[in-house]
Amino acid sequence: MTSGLTCTWTATDGATARVAIAGELEFATARLLLHLVTDRLADHPGVRDVRLDCGGIAFCDSSGLSTLLLVHRAVTGAGSRLYLDNRPPALDRLLALTGTTTYLTGESADSRARRDS
């Protein structure tokens, strides 16, 4: 089994950044995402929207969820807005089970389920 995490920051314009996440967001790897986002936000103070492309997340444990919460705190603390795009079903289930869907995405688990049906 291959483990690891790859996070790639792309500033699509001065106001929007996209972070592609691929691999396992777990205890041994999650800090990579937090450090990338906080470091890049400091380097790009004009970024107002940070879009995490979660489509490549193969696994996310409680450490990964904790890191998403810390990323949310860092992004909103910088005056920006966080988006979790292309969430895999397993990540949506984790967010729903922990009651963090609305906090992290601004949408309720029910509204997401209705939209996807």
Side-chain angles (χ1 to χ4, degrees):
M1 182 167 131
T2 302
S3 64
L5 183 72
T6 302
C7 303
T8 306
W9 173 285
T10 305
T12 56
D13 57 42
T16 305
R18 180 178 176 272
V19 181
I21 306 167
E24 298 177 354
L25 190 60
E26 44 91 19
F27 179 77
T29 62
R31 289 281 174 190
L32 173 68
L33 174 62
L34 179 61
H35 289 297
L36 174 79
V37 171
T38 56
D39 290 350
R40 295 296 172 95
L41 273 175
D43 293 341
H44 299 86
V47 168
R48 292 292 158 244
D49 295 323
V50 176
R51 305 195 78 91
L52 299 185
D53 183 347
C54 302
I57 294 178
F59 174 77
C60 181
D61 69 1
S62 60
S63 294
L65 176 60
S66 175
T67 297
L68 289 175
L69 294 167
L70 292 171
V71 167
H72 182 273
R73 181 185 298 170
V75 169
T76 57
S80 302
R81 184 166 176 184
L82 181 68
Y83 298 88
L84 303 182
D85 297 335
N86 303 315
R87 297 188 307 274
L91 181 57
D92 270 341
R93 280 193 302 277
L94 179 62
L95 298 181
L97 286 170
T98 58
T100 56
T101 301
T102 302
Y103 180 76
L104 285 173
T105 68
E107 62 187 52
S108 69
D110 291 343
S111 67
R112 170 77 183 213
R114 281 192 303 270
R115 190 181 76 205
D116 291 346
S117 62

